[in-house]
Each structure stands twice: as structure tokens, then as C-alpha cells.
Amino acid sequence: MAKNTKIILKFVAALLVIITIIGCLSSENNNNLEQINQTQNQETQEKTLVELQSSPIQYFSYPIVDTGQTKCYDNTKQITCPKVGVAFYGQDAQYLGNKPAYKDNGDGTITDLNTGLIWQKDPGEKMTYNEAVSKADSFILAGYDDWRLPTIKELYSLILFSGVDPPVEMTSSSNLEPFIDTNYFVFEYGDTTAGERIIDSQFLSSTKYVSGTMPTRDETAFGVNFADGRIKGYGLILRGSEKEFYVIYVRGNPDYGKNDFVDNGDGTITDKATGLMWQKVDSSKSMSWEDALEYAENINLAGYSDWRLPNAKELQSIVDYTRSPTTTNSPAIDPIFKTSPIKDEEGNTNYPFYWTSTTHANSMGGSSAVYIAFGEALGWMKDPRGQYILSDVHGAGAQRSDPKSGNPANYPYGHGPQGDVIRIYNYVRCVRDDNATIT
């Protein structure tokens, strides 16, 4: 009996050893499997980038992604898209560019299949500019450590003008559509229960304004508001504390947003980075949005008749964020272009706002269109005595919107929280695809 007991005990001990060994091997296999999966994910992303770089759409280092706007509008409302020669022909929805396309990599990252940029999917909690810059140096996601805070041009590549601009006073986000693809990116409107406005969903870029904003010339960084569809320069201090933003880091395609202009010597400028050809000299006069569409559709320049009014993302692509009226005594555009000077609302020399073909739709319809400010993005702010002061509130290079028609005199102190000046009659710089056929 004792002998049998010893045999049983030896058997049990041996069995425990075997189980332990199997457990260790299983754990090691699981760890190896996780490493293999992570390696495969990285290899998949790198393969995607290689495929993108070798595909026709990646011929340009700075491909402009379409705005996603598919509806047509007149001066107030949505309409059936007009035919050639009919009023309002030539707007954004009638010219299709690189259709927005993304891939969810399943590891917290999103690849833009047009630009080759890889994005952080979920911004998480808001942070200050200094926190965002500091965190970028140590940020690791999906096994990568080469993430960066995006430039304003990289960040703006994500904007979609299928969004709806909400009223500032709105308290519910029901029936709203943001200006970013929420099928891929995590997005939240401002938290009204915490004292924020619905529109407080500003995403931060690394691009600082070379001048300052507001009457006090505050230190400012540009950002994209995916809640209301605008680029603005935001002061980094808000009511005595550092302002907080949403942040999504990016990696890949280090040439994105870098222009490569060539003067063709015939009144046109080609950007070899985007494949777009531009009118070198602007319209030299201001006009309404409807007239801007007609002007662009009928211009004949350098033997080409296929010019058009650029959409918001095309026009923003030629902003030079290293320049401003205050710091370089120039508009925010490469001096290879010729820009008409204007007298602003206080009679000072400045530079125009330029129309785009993109409607800035809101819950009431489509009475406003997008413009890019190549001069100062002026607004009327009250000082402590209640007196209105005209100042650069959002920075040269901002993207805002104006009514498509009306009388600017009806807006003596602008519109919106920062009193954005309303001009209605803005300038035009036409564009065409450089690979189109001469007619």
C-alpha cells in the first residue's frame, strides 16, 4: 500500500511539472503571438503606405482631398445642381476631386488613403498647447514613436463640408453633423454641462500665427473646429488660463502641405506638389459669390478655358502661414502670386478675403459661403469701456464664411462671438487642374 502511495505521489508530482511546463510554453506562445500580431499590423501599415506611394493618386506629394460637399445651393437654400451657363453653376459639388477615403487599421490608427498620412483615431481628453507639444515627443501608438502634432494644412485635410454649422447658442447636438468623418474618427461636441458651447470642439495644430490676435496681440496657434467648420487662430491663454484643445497626432508623408510653385510665365502658377494651376494675378476687384462663380467659369487665361472657383481645401493649400500683413508687410501667400491691396474697415492697407466654391451650410440652409483670409481676419471686439475695436481676431490664413448676398452696411460691427467683419463682396483667384487639356 505504501509502495502504491509513493508511486501515485511521484505520478502527481510529474504531472504537475508537465502542467507547469505547458503553462509556461502557452504563456510564451501568447506573448509571441502578440508580438507577431503587432509586427503584422506594422507591416500592414507600411505595406499600405508603399502601395499609396506607388499608386497614381500619390503622384503628388500634397494631394488635395475633396471637401465631400455633394449638394448645390443658391444664395439661400439647397437647389438642383444647375447646368452649364445657368446661375450658380461651377460650385463645389459640381467638381469632384480625390474622394475622401480612410482605412481603420484596428490598432487605434486611421490611414488616409489619399494623403498617406496615418492618424490617431481618438483624441482623448483635451490638453493645452504646451502639453500637446511635450506629449508628442514621447507618444507611442500601434508600436510607432514618430508621431507629431499636425500642421494646419495636415489637419485641414480631414475637414468635410458635408457638415452643418450650428448656431452658437445651440445647446443640443441632435440632428447636427460634424465636419469630420465620424465613421473613422472619434468626435465630441462641446460639453454644455461643463460650461462649454456646442461649438467648443477645436482641434489643435502645430502652426503658430506669426503675428498675434485680438487687440492685445495674444500668442496664437491655428486650429480646425470640426464642430462648425472653420480655421481660426486661437489665443493660447483664455480668461487667465491655458486654453485646452482636442489633439490627434499624425505620422507619415513629411512633405504633405509643402508647396512647389513654378511661374509658367503666362499669367499662371503651377503647384507641382498638388497638380493645380493658379491664376497669378487675382480678380483685382471684389464681387458677390454668384458673380465669383460666373467670373471663374468664363475666364480664359493662357489658352485655357477650364478655370473654376477653387473649393475651400484647394484655396487653403496656397496659404503661406509664415507670412502676415504685420510681420512681412504682405498677404499670407507666396510672393510669386500678385495680390491686390485693399483698404480695410478702418481705412488701413490690408489684403482681401477670397471666395471659394464651397457653401458653409447651416440648419437654416446655405446662405453663406466659405472664404480664406489672406489678409488679417478682422473682427470688432469691445474694450473694457464698451467701445468697439477693430483687430485681427483669427489671423491671416483663417477660414471663415460670409453671406453670399446682402449689404455689408447691415453688419456695422460684424457677426459672431468675435464680431467677424462681413464684406459679402470678396476677391477671386481661379484654379484649374494642370493635367487638363488646352481648349
Side-chain angles (χ1 to χ4, degrees), residues 329-351:
N329 196 32
S330 71
I333 192 171
D334 192 294
I336 198 170
F337 292 94
K338 301 299 181 184
T339 303
S340 299
I342 63 169
K343 295 295 182 182
D344 64 27
E345 285 68 16
E346 282 194 336
N348 299 315
T349 298
N350 217 312
Y351 299 95

Side-chain angles (χ1 to χ4, degrees), residues 99 368 375:
K99 184 178 180 180
S368 293

Side-chain angles (χ1 to χ4, degrees), residues 126 170-173 187-202 225 227 246:
K126 290 182 177 181
M170 195 168 191
T171 57
S172 171
S173 59
F187 171 84
E188 292 183 7
Y189 285 98
D191 184 1
T192 56
T193 63
E196 294 183 333
R197 304 166 300 173
I198 282 288
I199 63 171
D200 284 328
S201 190
Q202 300 91 353
N225 191 328
Y246 285 117

Side-chain angles (χ1 to χ4, degrees), residues 114-257:
N114 285 294
T115 66
L117 295 171
I118 300 175
W119 293 91
Q120 176 187 358
K121 178 176 183 174
D122 186 350
E125 298 296 320
K126 290 182 177 181
M127 63 182 84
T128 67
Y129 179 88
N130 289 326
E131 288 172 338
V133 171
S134 176
K135 184 178 177 181
D137 293 334
S138 58
F139 186 67
I140 297 176
L141 177 63
Y144 296 101
D145 61 3
D146 58 346
W147 297 92
R148 63 183 181 269
L149 190 61
T151 67
I152 191 62
K153 289 189 175 183
E154 289 173 328
L155 189 58
Y156 197 63
S157 71
L158 297 178
I159 199 166
L160 296 178
F161 281 93
S162 52
V164 177
D165 180 20
V168 175
E169 65 277 5
M170 195 168 191
T171 57
S172 171
S173 59
S174 299
N175 301 319
L176 288 179
E177 184 174 352
F179 290 74
I180 191 171
D181 193 336
T182 54
N183 292 313
Y184 292 92
F185 295 92
V186 175
F187 171 84
E188 292 183 7
Y189 285 98
D191 184 1
T192 56
T193 63
E196 294 183 333
R197 304 166 300 173
I198 282 288
I199 63 171
D200 284 328
S201 190
Q202 300 91 353
F203 282 63
L204 182 66
S205 85
S206 63
T207 306
K208 280 191 171 182
Y209 187 30
V210 292
S211 183
T213 54
M214 301 298 169
T216 48
R217 293 290 178 185
D218 299 338
E219 184 181 13
T220 297
F222 285 102
V224 177
N225 191 328
F226 290 114
D228 68 8
R230 290 174 172 84
I231 292 176
K232 290 182 178 179
Y234 297 101
L236 300 185
I237 303 297
L238 178 65
R239 292 187 285 274
S241 300
E242 291 186 79
K243 179 174 171 58
E244 294 185 325
F245 305 84
Y246 285 117
V247 172
I248 48 175
Y249 293 112
V250 70
R251 62 180 299 272
N253 193 357
D255 294 322
Y256 195 83

